[in-house]
Amino acid sequence: MSGASFETRPGLQAALKGAREAAYDILLCLTLDRLSRDLEHSAKVLKLLQFHDIELWTVHGGSQVSAMELGLRAILNSEMREQVRYRTREGTKP
């Protein structure tokens, strides 16, 4: 499943549904690129979590993810996605 997708990711949608239902206090991600590689989607998720007073943590982060960290990582992840897309296209050319 593409990290560029938002609505079609069942795991992410289930996590967001749980946030809306106050099913948990902390959302733990392995890394932020597993959450999203799109700046708009990352901001949308963080905004929803903050609205419901849910903290976002990563496994190796050691502290709650701040809006600044999420924004910076989302920009870097978006760039990485574009690089992978470019290399994939170049690798499939005859």
Side-chain angles (χ1 to χ4, degrees), residues 37-90:
R37 288 187 177 173
D38 181 280
L39 181 57
E40 179 184 359
H41 297 161
S42 296
K44 186 175 184 176
V45 169
L46 185 61
K47 195 171 202 175
L48 175 73
L49 295 176
Q50 288 175 336
F51 180 79
H52 293 285
D53 294 320
I54 297 170
E55 296 180 2
L56 176 61
W57 287 63
T58 58
V59 171
H60 299 291
S63 65
Q64 182 178 354
V65 175
S66 69
M68 184 187 312
E69 179 184 1
L70 182 72
L72 291 172
R73 291 192 183 275
I75 290 168
L76 293 171
N77 291 334
S78 179
E79 178 63 26
M80 180 184 293
R81 186 184 74 217
E82 290 303 316
Q83 290 175 8
V84 168
R85 184 179 294 158
Y86 172 78
R87 286 192 303 260
T88 301
R89 276 184 269 175
E90 289 299 309

